[in-house]
Every structure is written in structure tokens, then in C-alpha cells.
Amino acid sequence: IATDVEISFDVSAGWNWISFNVQNEDMSTNNVLGSIGSYGDYVKTQGGFADHYGEGNGWYGTLQFISIEELIKLNVASSGTVDFIGSPVTPSDYPIDLEAGWNWIGYLPSASMGTNNAIGGIGAFGDYIKGQGGFADHYGEGNGWYGTLAVLNPFEGYMVNLAEGGTLVYPDGSGLARV
């Protein structure tokens, strides 16, 4: 039985590409992002958005729930800290269905992992992944992912562009063997 843990990570003023690898019974936007936000701040996923209506009012929009499987783009006026309590997830229990084209994905493992270990089960020549601070191209079967995005990290989110859809299953454990 997993016990709850508190996660905490800093965000900078401006855009932040984030994700969550813990969850609890209340994954509403106001609960998950309750420790951050002020009037005019903005959050979006591939399928929804919410604006912050100021202290005491919270987040409102089409994005009513946060999914651990998704990249969340958070635009805040001031730096701060995201604090959230939830149960750690077993990454392999949450396969992420991917479509041809762009997919906004969260990062489910609890440790940093080399790009080829983390997402080596997907991709073909010409596919592309980008994070807020780097990118990698897929060089074909047997070659894998190469670029400035050598490591995927907890609490960060990514965009992956695939020629064909598939299913991403993150490995369980640290997977630190190949960076």
C-alpha cells in the first residue's frame, strides 16, 4: 500500500512545463495547483485551460481536473512553489495512448531517467520530443533518441511528435543505466 508523499517544486515567473507523478482522490485543478497562482495566471493542457481569478477565487475554465499523464503548461506572473500531497504512482500502471502528431505527456517515474530508457519503447526515425529546455530526434530503430534532451525529470512535462501513434509505458524503477 502506497503512503502519501508531499511533492514540492519551484516554478519561475513565465511559462513552466510541469507534470505530476503522484495523485490523490481530488485531482481538481484548484486542489492540485492550490499552492500557486494569482489573478491573471494561466494554465493549459492539450485539451483545456483555466485562468486564475485571484486569491480566494482560484482556477476556472475548461481544465477542471489535472491528469498525471499530461504535460501542463503553467504561466505565472511570480515565481513560487507547487506543493501537493498524493500517492506515488507505479508508472507501468498508467500507459499513455499517443496519437500521430503532437502529444503533451507527463513524466510518471519518481527518478530522472535517460531519454532512451524513459521513452525507448516509442519512436521511429524522424520523431521528435521537446522539453522546456531541450529536444531530441529519433534516429531510427537501433539508434534511439539523440539531442540536447538527454534526461527526463520528475515534475517536468514534454511534447512528443510521432509519425504514428502508439502507447508509452514508462519503466518502473530508476532506469539510470543508459543516459
Side-chain angles (χ1 to χ4, degrees):
I1 292 178
T3 58
D4 284 350
V5 296
E6 181 175 348
I7 61 169
S8 182
F9 57 92
D10 294 332
V11 293
S12 303
W15 286 103
N16 298 267
W17 292 21
I18 65 172
S19 69
F20 293 85
N21 60 6
V22 301
Q23 62 183 0
N24 67 31
E25 291 178 8
D26 182 1
M27 293 300 288
S28 68
T29 304
N30 279 304
N31 188 49
V32 177
L33 298 177
S35 65
I36 195 83
S38 60
Y39 182 80
D41 289 350
Y42 184 76
V43 62
K44 68 179 178 175
T45 62
Q46 197 165 8
F49 75 94
D51 294 299
H52 200 283
Y53 280 78
E55 192 171 333
N57 296 309
W59 298 97
Y60 290 95
T62 61
L63 181 62
Q64 297 179 356
F65 297 96
I66 299 295
S67 168
I68 60 172
E69 291 97 348
E70 285 190 292
L71 155 68
I72 299 126
K73 291 187 178 182
L74 176 67
N75 189 4
V76 292
S78 302
S79 61
T81 303
V82 174
D83 295 309
F84 183 65
I85 296 173
S87 297
V89 299
T90 302
S92 62
D93 288 345
Y94 295 89
I96 301 173
D97 291 328
L98 304 171
E99 298 178 4
W102 286 106
N103 297 269
W104 294 25
I105 59 171
Y107 183 74
L108 302 179
S110 59
S112 297
M113 200 177 299
T115 303
N116 282 298
N117 282 342
I119 63 167
I122 63 164
F125 182 79
D127 288 346
Y128 184 81
I129 185 170
K130 63 181 176 177
Q132 194 164 5
F135 73 94
D137 293 300
H138 200 286
Y139 280 78
E141 191 171 336
N143 296 309
W145 297 95
Y146 291 96
T148 59
L149 183 62
V151 176
L152 304 187
N153 297 301
F155 317 125
E156 294 181 7
Y158 302 93
M159 295 175 66
V160 62
N161 190 4
L162 303 173
E164 294 182 18
T167 302
L168 170 60
V169 180
Y170 285 111
D172 296 330
S174 66
L176 295 176
R178 185 172 126 197
V179 175

